[in-house]
Amino acid sequence: MFPDPHRRSVKICGITQPQQAAVIFALGADAVGINLWPKSKRHMPLEVAVNSLQNVAAKNALVAVLVNPDAALLDAAISSQLFQALQLHGDEAPADVERLMKRGVNVIKALQVRDAASLAQIGEFPCDSILLDAYNPGTYGGGGHAFPWELAVRAKEMFPTKHFLLSGGLTPENVRQAVEQTQPLAVDVASGVESLPGSKDLLQVARFISEARDGWAAGSIQQVKVAEEG
């Protein structure tokens, strides 16, 4: 299952070269995102994913990234049995999420974080997993912009039963600080580890994963120190 509530995870999102998936998992990623939105510059058609990633999906977590999908694409993605989760990155309503959950689908809902007031919408969605992304009006993720990480901390305080994935402007240079500060269940990166849209720089991927894990370790140590001092 992705995200695993018992494991801190790294998701590398938006590959367009299927052969990179196995390498990314070998580098230590916990999930790879496949963008099924046709308007994305990281789009991979579902038929390409089905034809090229069956073996990878048998042992690893693939996540379908969708933006306001129609019923046909939703049904095809679900029936492909390729994905451990559907990540909804558009204007989907809580009722849309609920309908998918009733079908047994594991849903991750992505929400743009503009300010503290925008966090209230998290409580409207019935799914456990919420991806926090930067506010970028007119687009649906992948813009490489960050948002104030203290809002992710606030989101965890407001909704302690939710599982939060941190996204938006993460890079190998800043992910350790972001993870140490916010301690999310998972981090999600697309443009921050690319040489070109959809083409991942594997050295950057390896560094990103290492830095993220260092951030979780450092944050855990800090939490222990605070508890001991308290």
Side-chain angles (χ1 to χ4, degrees), residues 51-170:
N51 291 333
S52 58
L53 295 173
Q54 293 284 357
N55 290 338
V56 172
K59 298 180 180 179
N60 302 282
L62 297 182
V63 176
V65 178
L66 299 151
V67 175
N68 304 324
D70 59 27
L73 181 55
L74 271 178
D75 289 344
I78 294 168
S79 63
S80 74
Q81 299 185 339
L82 199 67
F83 306 106
Q84 288 195 10
L86 301 188
Q87 181 174 308
L88 303 181
H89 242 286
D91 306 307
E92 302 86 7
D96 299 321
V97 173
E98 185 175 11
R99 279 191 292 269
L100 285 171
M101 292 175 65
K102 287 181 177 179
R103 296 175 64 179
V105 176
N106 177 28
V107 178
I108 301 167
K109 182 65 183 86
L111 298 173
Q112 293 190 0
V113 178
R114 181 176 187 176
D115 49 30
S118 67
L119 299 177
Q121 64 182 315
I122 294 169
E124 300 173 7
F125 289 89
C127 54
D128 291 331
S129 299
I130 300 292
L131 184 145
L132 301 176
D133 203 354
Y135 179 68
N136 199 9
T139 64
Y140 297 102
H145 304 292
F147 67 90
W149 294 326
E150 60 267 22
L151 293 178
V153 177
R154 178 62 180 146
K156 289 176 64 177
E157 294 170 348
M158 292 173 64
F159 303 99
T161 62
K162 296 289 189 184
H163 303 149
F164 287 103
L165 296 80
L166 184 67
S167 187
L170 296 179

